[in-house]
Amino acid sequence: MTTYYLSVKDMSKAKGPDPELSFEGIGPEKLASDIADAMRSDNLFQRWRAKQPEPDEVDPGLGVTDASASATGELSNDRTDVKLTTSLPMRIVKHRLNLLIGSSWELRDTR
């Protein structure tokens, strides 16, 4: 398991490029919950895949899940911090985060 320490400086910009796949909540707890759900389930991946020009050509490896993934979120002084613990590799985490919240996140540390 790897723990990813993420931060989002401006929650109002925590939106993915496709509104149908994007985070729609408010607050760090909802963000953490949606991130954890995106790692535990292939729902977000399947919705994204269906929107691709050639869905059958999408690498199925991008759809792997981690049923034990967990995340917590909290406000700090000038940002929202999210602690995500998962067995998924960074390439999968990055893909799902980009779908959910675009480029508004920053990886601060891993353990």
Side-chain angles (χ1 to χ4, degrees), residues 11-74:
M11 284 290 288
S12 69
K13 294 181 180 176
K15 305 287 181 210
D18 183 336
E20 293 179 12
L21 304 174
S22 183
F23 172 67
E24 294 182 358
I26 297 175
E29 295 86 11
K30 175 67 172 147
L31 177 61
S33 174
D34 285 3
I35 289 172
D37 288 345
M39 304 304 154
R40 290 190 293 249
S41 163
D42 73 345
N43 185 35
L44 178 64
F45 166 76
Q46 293 297 343
R47 292 183 318 171
W48 169 79
R49 181 177 174 250
K51 297 176 89 119
Q52 301 311 298
E54 297 292 334
D56 292 337
E57 293 181 14
V58 170
D59 176 8
L62 287 174
V64 297
T65 61
D66 172 12
S68 64
S70 64
T72 57
E74 65 181 37

Side-chain angles (χ1 to χ4, degrees), residues 6-9 28 73-82 108:
L6 313 164
S7 66
V8 176
K9 289 193 183 215
E74 65 181 37
L75 289 174
S76 68
N77 292 339
D78 61 345
R79 66 181 186 255
T80 297
D81 291 324
V82 176
R108 299 182 64 76

Side-chain angles (χ1 to χ4, degrees), residues 62-107:
L62 287 174
V64 297
T65 61
D66 172 12
S68 64
S70 64
T72 57
E74 65 181 37
L75 289 174
S76 68
N77 292 339
D78 61 345
R79 66 181 186 255
T80 297
D81 291 324
V82 176
K83 178 180 158 184
L84 168 64
T85 303
T86 181
S87 62
L88 296 174
M90 185 59 189
R91 75 180 188 95
I92 302 298
V93 170
K94 181 178 179 181
H95 181 251
R96 305 237 175 110
L97 288 174
N98 287 340
L99 292 175
L100 279 176
I101 58 176
S103 62
S104 64
W105 63 279
E106 176 184 341
L107 178 64

